[in-house]
Amino acid sequence: MLGAAEVSPLRAYIVLSLLTGARTEELRALRWDDVDLIGAPGVTPPLPPSISVIRSVRIGGDTKTRKSRRRLGMPQRCVTVLRDHAERPGADTSPNALVFATRTGSEMDAHNVRRSFRKVAADAGLNAAEWAPREMRHSFVSLLSDSRMPLEHISRLVGHSGTAITEAVYRQQLRPVLEHGATAMDDVFPVADP
């Protein structure tokens, strides 16, 4: 998917969505003053580059819940694509400008984002009809779960009020707990090879 996004106008949007787990309605409301491309590397402990998720395109402009307001550290790939995105011709990077905007500077419409996203999915060889921008968030959860990140951390990163919500919404993406129990017991009570 990331390779197919290289030439897409949604490149930075897709990379940020996949690597931070931000909701699509949160990214569509992201403003440049919510973005810190430098962080504070000189403090102890160092602060990474980050985005502040404090609004969305929902009615009233608020995030889905209070816990959805969060600061997300950005991997270097996000910093690089956002710098490239800021340097594109005609980009408005004034503090109050939207990071992902239409040519006129207004909020991107969900339908247009979905249509552009599905083109990237098709270019990646995926069945575009089965993919929507929210799939990046699901993939984010899957990748963290597969990396053995604790559910509590995943829950905080995606802005849920607790792990029960994360488990209910992403049960398909989370590694089954049964697997962890069996693995732990095999380690405690190993079976000798015959």
Side-chain angles (χ1 to χ4, degrees):
M1 179 69 84
L2 292 180
E6 283 297 317
V7 296
S8 170
L10 281 184
R11 176 179 175 229
Y13 186 96
I14 290 170
V15 170
L16 206 59
S17 180
L18 178 62
L19 301 186
T20 67
R23 292 176 178 94
T24 187
E25 67 263 20
E26 295 166 343
L27 289 179
R28 290 178 23 233
L30 189 68
R31 298 187 183 279
W32 282 108
D33 60 352
D34 302 329
V35 176
D36 178 359
L37 293 174
I38 300 167
V43 302
T44 306
L47 294 174
S50 60
I51 60 170
S52 291
V53 178
I54 56 175
R55 64 182 67 85
S56 78
V57 295
R58 293 173 171 272
I59 295 173
D62 203 2
T63 55
K64 190 170 183 178
T65 67
R66 289 182 135 251
K67 287 275 189 171
S68 295
R69 294 183 206 130
R70 62 208 185 279
R71 190 141 187 91
L72 298 170
M74 289 191 294
Q76 190 56 49
R77 185 180 295 253
C78 290
V79 174
T80 301
V81 298
L82 281 175
R83 282 192 176 127
D84 292 348
H85 187 69
E87 293 171 0
R88 72 194 188 292
D92 180 1
T93 57
S94 58
N96 206 31
L98 292 164
V99 175
F100 305 108
T102 65
R103 286 184 209 131
T104 62
S106 60
E107 287 177 355
M108 296 171 63
D109 176 77
H111 176 74
N112 291 335
V113 171
R114 214 172 12 260
R115 185 178 60 236
S116 296
F117 179 82
R118 286 188 172 146
K119 181 180 178 344
V120 173
D123 291 347
L126 301 169
N127 181 348
E130 295 177 356
W131 283 78
R134 71 176 175 278
E135 303 303 330
M136 295 292 94
R137 184 170 162 89
H138 288 258
S139 296
F140 173 79
V141 170
S142 292
L143 290 166
L144 293 181
S145 179
D146 286 347
S147 297
R148 308 272 192 234
M149 178 173 278
L151 182 58
E152 295 79 14
H153 297 333
I154 295 171
S155 181
R156 281 195 298 272
L157 288 170
V158 295
H160 288 160
S161 60
T163 58
I165 294 170
T166 309
E167 286 179 296
V169 174
Y170 297 106
R171 77 177 138 259
Q172 303 271 334
Q173 286 79 22
L174 296 171
R175 284 195 161 285
V177 173
L178 295 174
E179 175 188 318
H180 298 297
T183 302
M185 287 297 125
D186 280 342
D187 291 343
V188 173
F189 299 104
V191 175
D193 289 331

